[in-house]
Structure formats: C-alpha cells, structure tokens
Amino acid sequence: MAEITAALVKELRERTGQGMMDCKKALTAAGGDIEKAIDDMRAAGAIKAAKKAGNIAAEGAIAVKVADDNKRAVIIEVNSQTDFLALQDDFKNFVSNSVEKAFAEKMTDAAPLVAAQEADREALVAKCGENVNIRRLTTVEADLVGSYLHGHRIGVLVALKGGSVELAKEIAMHVAASNPQFLDPSQVSEEAVAKEKEIFLALNEDKIKGKPAEIVEKMVAGRISKFLAEASLVEQAFVKDPDVKVGELAKKAGAEIVSFVRYEVGEGIERAEVDFAAEVAAQVAATKQ
C-alpha cells in the first residue's frame, strides 16, 4: 500500500473539495490509490446526499432567464440550508446551469428540472455538506416580459401587453418592494375578503361596540377598500411616485399588466427552531465517545 502522505491528502482535498479527514479515510480505504479514492467518494456522494435530504433547506437563491426578444422568461428557486452556501461559486454555478437548462428546454414545471439536475445536485451536496433542492419553477410567455432580481433573494417577472422593457422592469421592481398578493381587485377571493373583515372586527371590537349597524358597515367597507388597494398590484401606489397607481402608470404608457410572478427565498417553508446550546452539548458529547 502506498504511503498516505500529507501531500497526497492535500491533492485529494483540492480535487474533491472534501474535508481532510474524509480524504485521509478514502485514501486509506483505497490503499493510497488517489484515482480509486476519487471514484469511491463519488459513489458515496449519492449516499451522503440522501442523508442530507431530511435537512431543512430554507435559504438559497432565485434566478431568472429572459429571452432576447423579451417574450418568454423562466424563474426558479433553489434552496440551501445556509445563506453562506448561497453565496459560494459552486452553488451559484448549479443555480445558473439549472435556470439555463430550464429555459433551453422550455420547462414549465420543476419536476423535469429536478430529474435532469439530480446527478449534479448530489455531487454538490456531497461536496458542500448541505442539503440542496430545486424547489419551484415558473415560465411566463407574453407580448413582453420584464424581470428584476433583488440580490439573490427576491425575483420578479412581469408580463405586459404593450409598453416597454423599461416599464416592465419598473413594475417588477415595485412588485419586489411591495409584494402585492393579487393583480387586481377582481382576483381577490370572497374568502380573503371575509377573512379581512373578520380580522378587522376582532381588532376593533372596542371601537365598534355600541355603534349603529350602518356605521359599522361603513367602517368595514372602508377597511375592505383599503385592503383591496394594498393587496392588488394595479391599485397600489407606485413606489417611485405615490401619486400614481401602478395600473395608471401602465395605462399612461399604453400598456396593460397581464400577470406577475414574485419569488422570495424560503417563503412558506417551515423553519426548524435550533437549540444551539443543545447542539453544542451534543457535539461535545460526541467527541468524548
């Protein structure tokens, strides 16, 4: 068996990105054959990835790809366990390759992208030691599609009928900042309105106690009207000019907002509460075994 030298361990570490102890163990098991050690570590990658699959990945990045003619675009979310990994080149390359593949193959759902990228995902998990998941994907096609990325955490696509790329980007920036729930009031469900009314009545129980029913109804109607304006993109005041509603902004430019998509990293993912004291205690206990 070849001698397991520090230089050999260093070379394997540089070629695989794995930890020093993992590299030393792999070389020992492979009898000092670095090529065999690499093959064995790659084979173990799927196992490592499977073990990491249960870890909650609520950080990550949003990526978008827009066609040169601005008539089609795709947006994806890829999750990691930490924001630190989301800033590393290996993760960024995986995200970039994923959105390029989704765009090139005109995917409209995340499932085929997940399948196509599984081998690369497993390799990334094995290298970085974190769970990584392609979570969702949306493709938008329209007369004109604009986009905006706020760092790597928020991404928006806006579909217009008429208008310009600049207008679409301005509206996308507004969506990123204001996070509307609906395009226009007609899309607000009766359930959402009823829920808002219920919340208003509960929060203002003392104020409305003893008031005539017609007064209460006017108060409720005022709150619902405000809710529709706050929740609907076309009714919101434009962030760059609060005197103009977003719908009016588009209309003045000869455009109509057809739809929008807003992704924010980790939204809707239930994050586990971490007891750091218990975690440190567990690690200390493990070193004593």
Side-chain angles (χ1 to χ4, degrees):
M1 183 178 78
E3 182 184 357
I4 311 301
T5 64
L8 198 60
V9 173
K10 182 176 181 290
E11 182 183 350
L12 182 58
R13 187 179 184 186
E14 290 175 348
R15 291 178 63 180
T16 64
Q18 298 299 297
M20 183 177 67
M21 292 307 297
D22 285 339
C23 291
K24 188 173 182 179
K25 288 178 182 178
L27 282 166
T28 301
D33 184 336
I34 192 169
E35 298 301 332
K36 184 177 188 307
I38 291 173
D39 289 341
D40 291 345
M41 291 174 86
R42 284 175 175 167
I47 299 173
K48 290 185 179 181
K51 288 181 178 178
K52 295 290 181 182
N55 296 342
I56 295 174
E59 297 297 335
I62 308 299
V64 301
K65 172 74 175 179
V66 182
D68 292 339
D69 62 3
N70 291 97
K71 293 186 180 298
R72 180 169 66 94
V74 63
I75 182 170
I76 67 170
E77 177 183 1
V78 182
N79 295 126
S80 59
Q81 287 177 241
T82 65
D83 191 53
F84 175 80
L85 179 60
L87 299 174
Q88 303 309 303
D89 288 341
D90 287 334
F91 183 86
K92 288 180 179 179
N93 290 337
F94 177 76
V95 173
S96 177
N97 292 339
S98 295
V99 76
E100 289 288 345
K101 179 175 283 292
F103 182 84
E105 299 186 14
K106 298 184 178 181
M107 296 178 181
T108 57
D109 182 73
L113 181 61
V114 170
Q117 293 292 85
E118 183 59 14
D120 289 346
R121 186 195 73 84
E122 288 182 350
L124 177 60
V125 172
K127 183 174 182 179
C128 71
E130 285 192 24
N131 191 18
V132 173
N133 290 313
I134 297 173
R135 183 186 180 198
R136 51 182 171 164
L137 176 158
T138 300
T139 292
V140 173
E141 295 188 65
D143 287 352
L144 190 151
V145 182
S147 69
Y148 174 70
L149 270 177
H150 187 72
H152 64 282
R153 300 191 63 85
I154 298 176
V156 178
L157 297 180
V158 170
L160 298 181
K161 184 176 181 181
S164 64
V165 174
E166 291 74 19
L167 175 65
K169 183 176 181 179
E170 290 280 296
I171 295 174
M173 291 174 68
H174 171 94
V175 171
S178 299
N179 193 16
Q181 299 177 49
F182 310 95
L183 175 59
D184 59 59
S186 69
Q187 293 185 349
V188 183
S189 66
E190 292 181 4
E191 291 79 8
V193 172
K195 185 66 176 177
E196 188 64 22
K197 180 178 179 180
E198 181 184 331
I199 292 172
F200 175 80
L201 292 174
L203 293 177
N204 296 275
E205 186 175 358
D206 293 338
K207 291 182 180 180
I208 63 179
K209 188 179 295 183
K211 284 187 169 57
E214 60 271 18
I215 298 299
V216 174
E217 282 301 314
K218 285 184 179 180
M219 291 174 67
V220 171
R223 175 55 211 160
I224 295 304
S225 178
K226 186 179 180 182
F227 166 67
L228 293 176
E230 292 172 345
S232 305
L233 174 58
V234 298
E235 293 296 319
Q236 288 183 339
F238 183 46
V239 289
K240 288 189 174 181
D241 184 358
D243 293 329
V244 178
K245 292 182 178 179
V246 176
E248 294 172 350
L249 176 74
K251 190 174 182 180
K252 286 179 180 179
E256 176 188 349
I257 305 172
V258 177
S259 65
F260 70 90
V261 178
R262 182 185 188 275
Y263 277 9
E264 184 167 351
V265 167
E267 58 188 349
I269 298 176
E270 186 175 345
R271 300 168 188 252
E273 293 186 9
V274 179
D275 185 337
F276 288 106
E279 187 175 288
V280 171
Q283 290 179 357
V284 172
T287 63
K288 295 179 179 179
Q289 293 179 355

